[in-house]
C-alpha cells in the first residue's frame, strides 16, 4: 500500500499565495474606488490607456481562472 502524500506543505503554500492574491485584490479595489488616483477633470487619454493595460492583464487572469476566452476548453 502506498502512503498518501503529505499535503501540509502544499496547503501552506496555497494559503500563502491565496492571501497574497486577496491582498492585491483589496488594494486594487481600493484604488478603483478612488478612481485610480485620477480626478475627473484631469483625465487624459494616457489615463485611459493605462486602465486599458490593467484591464487586459486582469481579463487574462480572469479568463484563465474561469476557462474563458483563449483559455476556454
Amino acid at each position: 500500500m502506498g502512503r498518501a502524500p503529505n499535503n501540509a506543505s502544499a496547503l501552506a503554500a496555497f494559503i500563502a499565495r491565496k492571501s497574497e492574491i486577496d491582498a492585491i485584490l483589496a488594494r486594487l479595489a481600493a484604488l478603483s474606488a478612488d478612481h485610480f488616483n485620477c480626478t475627473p477633470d484631469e483625465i487624459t487619454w494616457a489615463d485611459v490607456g493605462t486602465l486599458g493595460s490593467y484591464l487586459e492583464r486582469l481579463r487574462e487572469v480572469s479568463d484563465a481562472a474561469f476557462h474563458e476566452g483563449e483559455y476556454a476548453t
Side-chain angles (χ1 to χ4, degrees):
M1 265 189 225
R3 209 174 95 163
N6 180 345
N7 290 346
S9 294
L11 177 59
F14 180 91
I15 296 300
R17 289 183 180 181
K18 183 195 173 306
S19 295
E20 194 171 349
I21 289 170
D22 290 345
I24 290 169
L25 291 173
R27 290 182 70 205
L28 285 171
L31 188 62
S32 178
D34 195 30
H35 297 75
F36 292 89
N37 294 325
C38 296
T39 53
D41 294 341
E42 297 175 357
I43 296 291
T44 68
W45 284 107
D47 299 313
V48 175
T50 298
L51 282 186
S53 177
Y54 296 166
L55 178 58
E56 285 178 29
R57 292 180 178 115
L58 289 170
R59 186 175 286 134
E60 182 178 353
V61 170
S62 179
D63 284 353
F66 293 106
H67 305 285
E68 298 172 343
E70 68 180 84
Y71 299 91
T73 53

